[in-house]
């Protein structure tokens, strides 16, 4: 199954009018701008039996959202924009609402927590306003406020690395750690926390809201015709992805400009028995070499085609001290390190 996305004209919308924003920006009571976190938000409400007529939902988030109404995925966004001209989206949802029943709007929000080539760091936030039409005007029915429920999505691994200096993070998700029904109306969110207020529309860093100025993306399921080949891959034993640029120069999370630095990273590899191990460094831009238990590896001990560097080393029983020199100029790529050992490897921590 493949998702194909195309820029198409959105569904015909209710005529866009000046929006009288009543919704509040909300988040959770954790870190304001966490690195690569995914948070779920829910709000359930009743729709009268005679319905609302036309209904629309206006939504934006920092950094990205996926919107569900009664378990149906409606869309995702927002389009790229400056935080001081934050883009919002409008969807017609009347056909998704259940008249005379309880309805649920659910939103998955990913916050980057670092700047990249298409996003300037703001802070975590979600803004939703649901409106119905009556006599040619829109009436606020539901807004984001402290009555919304929220929870960290435990399936997503916030430690995953950046895809590139231009991009955000690779998605690494274990579906066993989170219910697939979290966005459906009958899901029990009683253990979730209440959302926290961030501020009203106009709050920094989103001083102005502007409507999306390009068409929405559509998603289409395409089933494979046949399977050409199947392969099994055995991953290396231990891996780590370290935002070395942001660790060396903490304020660099706020921009995507190149930064030069000189520094070192140390780790300990603990072995149950002595044995050989392969050290791998996938981004050699800031990698200048490493030492194992006080002995620096010579240049001819490394193999691989740049930017990849590999070295087979002998590790002793117990703790082995690894010191890595990280010197260079970086836009934002991670220091990606792996340790492969068929057996005896007990722990590895940066």
């Amino acid at each position: 199954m493949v998702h194909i996305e195309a820029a198409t004209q959105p569904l015909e919308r209710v005529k866009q009018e000046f929006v009288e924003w009543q919704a509040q920006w909300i988040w959770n009571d954790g870190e304001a701008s966490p690195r690569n976190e995914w948070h779920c938000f829910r709000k359930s409400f009743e729709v009268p039996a005679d319905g609302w007529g036309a209904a629309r939902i206006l939504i934006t988030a920092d950094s990205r959202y996926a919107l569900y109404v009664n378990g149906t995925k409606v869309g995702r966004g927002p389009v790229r924009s400056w935080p001081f001209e934050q883009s919002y989206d409008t969807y017609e949802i009347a056909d998704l609402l259940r008249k005379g029943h309880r309805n649920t709007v659910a939103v998955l929000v990913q916050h980057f927590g670092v700047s990249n080539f298409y996003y300037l760091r703001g802070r975590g936030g979600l803004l939703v306003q649901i409106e119905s039409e009556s006599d040619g005007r829109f009436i606020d029915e539901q807004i984001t406020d402290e009555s919304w429920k929220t929870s960290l999505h435990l399936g997503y691994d916030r430690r995953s690395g950046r895809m590139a200096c231009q991009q955000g993070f690779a998605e690494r998700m274990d579906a066993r750690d989170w219910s697939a029904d979290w966005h459906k109306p009958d899901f029990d969110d009683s253990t979730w926390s209440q959302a926290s207020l961030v501020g009203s529309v106009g709050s920094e860093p989103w001083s102005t809201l502007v409507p999306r100025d390009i068409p929405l993306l559509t998603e289409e399921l395409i089933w494979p015709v046949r399977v050409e080949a199947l392969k099994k891959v055995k991953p290396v034993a231990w891996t780590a992805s370290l935002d070395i640029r942001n660790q060396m120069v903490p304020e660099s999370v706020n921009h995507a400009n190149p930064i030069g630095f000189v520094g070192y990273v140390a780790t300990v590899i603990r072995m149950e028995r002595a044995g050989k191990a392969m050290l791998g460094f996938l981004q050699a831009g800031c990698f200048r070499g490493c030492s194992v238990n006080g002995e620096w590896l010579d240049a001819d001990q490394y193999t691989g085609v740049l930017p990849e560097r590999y070295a087979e080393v002998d590790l002793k029983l117990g703790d082995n001290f690894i010191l890595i020199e990280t010197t260079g100029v970086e836009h934002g790529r991670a220091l990606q390190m792996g340790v492969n050992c068929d057996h005896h490897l007990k722990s590895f921590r940066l």
Side-chain angles (χ1 to χ4, degrees), residues 97-349:
L97 297 176
R98 302 186 299 176
K99 299 178 181 180
H101 295 280
R102 192 167 180 81
N103 293 259
T104 299
V105 169
V107 186
L108 176 63
V109 178
Q110 179 194 15
H111 182 70
F112 294 139
V114 297
S115 297
N116 56 43
F117 280 25
Y118 57 79
Y119 168 79
L120 289 181
R121 187 189 189 205
R123 59 148 296 152
L126 170 66
L127 185 75
V128 176
Q129 185 158 303
I130 303 172
E131 301 177 337
S132 66
E133 187 183 29
S134 177
D135 298 327
R137 357 182 0 260
F138 286 105
I139 301 172
D140 303 327
E141 299 288 356
Q142 298 291 329
I143 61 173
T144 39
D145 56 20
E146 292 171 301
S147 67
W148 282 58
K149 304 296 287 291
T150 183
S151 176
L152 177 68
H153 192 305
L154 300 179
Y156 282 97
D157 188 351
R158 64 173 303 200
R159 299 170 300 175
S160 63
R162 295 273 296 275
M163 293 182 286
C165 62
Q166 299 91 345
Q167 300 290 330
F169 298 93
E171 293 184 18
R172 187 165 63 198
M173 198 266 278
D174 190 336
R176 298 170 297 182
D177 293 336
W178 197 243
S179 172
D181 297 330
W182 72 268
H183 59 283
K184 295 183 178 180
D186 56 355
F187 176 79
D188 181 9
D189 60 10
S190 59
T191 61
W192 288 22
S193 303
Q194 300 298 134
S196 299
L197 291 182
V198 175
S200 59
V201 170
S203 301
E204 295 293 339
W206 320 285
S207 52
T208 305
L209 296 179
V210 296
R212 169 190 283 263
D213 58 358
I214 62 173
L216 294 164
L217 291 175
T218 61
E219 297 186 21
E220 178 184 359
L221 292 179
I222 296 181
W223 297 95
V225 176
R226 62 184 178 275
V227 176
E228 290 285 353
L230 291 174
K231 293 183 179 180
K232 183 178 180 180
V233 176
K234 181 181 179 181
V236 298
W238 294 81
T239 61
S241 181
L242 184 65
D243 297 336
I244 188 65
R245 170 180 174 270
N246 302 149
Q247 294 293 325
M248 295 296 180
V249 188
E251 62 270 20
S252 66
V253 296
N254 297 315
H255 62 80
N257 299 325
I259 291 289
F261 51 83
V262 176
Y264 294 88
V265 174
T267 185
V268 172
I269 300 176
R270 181 167 297 170
M271 299 286 286
E272 294 180 339
R273 292 198 296 272
K276 292 184 177 296
M278 180 69 73
L279 305 182
F281 303 91
L282 301 186
Q283 293 287 355
C286 61
F287 174 76
R288 290 294 177 267
C290 74
S291 70
V292 178
N293 295 322
E295 297 292 331
W296 285 93
L297 302 182
D298 295 329
D300 59 5
Q301 291 180 260
Y302 294 100
T303 60
V305 178
L306 287 174
E308 299 178 8
R309 299 280 79 184
Y310 302 96
E312 186 177 62
V313 297
D314 292 309
L315 299 181
K316 65 182 181 180
L317 168 67
D319 290 348
N320 294 264
F321 182 70
I322 311 297
L323 184 65
I324 305 164
E325 182 183 358
T326 57
T327 299
V329 177
E330 274 295 334
H331 261 301
R333 294 174 298 179
L335 175 63
Q336 296 175 333
M337 177 182 177
V339 182
N340 204 26
C341 186
D342 290 336
H343 55 280
H344 312 321
L345 181 61
K346 187 174 182 179
S347 65
F348 160 53
R349 177 177 297 176

